[in-house]
Amino acid sequence: RHESTSTKTDMTFGLFLPSSHATILRSKRQSTPALYWLSGLTCDDTNFSTKANAFSSAEREGIALVIPDTSPRGKGVPEDID
């Protein structure tokens, strides 16, 4: 979790690092390519990873995934039930 300066709320994000990040790439001082996935307004950080089986695909391709929750949630957010 992190505090968002733009929404003034706590936000969540998912991060996936492929196994190649720790073994091959870091030992050679290479960067791990990353894909930033921004879901729709009502999606949370798990929608893409679950519905698209994204972690398996990212592992196969050797890329990291950064998946922020794109919707502010919690007390004080209009129409949020939390």
Side-chain angles (χ1 to χ4, degrees), residues 24-71:
I24 300 167
L25 295 173
R26 290 191 69 191
S27 66
K28 294 181 179 180
R29 297 189 183 272
Q30 294 179 346
S31 299
T32 300
L35 173 86
Y36 289 77
W37 183 267
L38 303 177
S39 290
L41 184 60
T42 59
C43 297
D44 66 17
D45 59 300
T46 64
N47 288 77
F48 169 64
S49 60
T50 303
K51 293 178 181 179
N53 198 21
F55 294 159
S56 294
S57 299
E59 177 66 31
R60 184 180 65 246
E61 298 300 323
I63 63 172
L65 297 176
V66 181
I67 312 167
D69 182 350
T70 54
S71 299

Side-chain angles (χ1 to χ4, degrees), residues 15-22 32 55 58-59 63-65:
L15 174 65
F16 172 83
L17 294 174
S19 58
S20 59
H21 174 76
T32 300
F55 294 159
E59 177 66 31
I63 63 172
L65 297 176

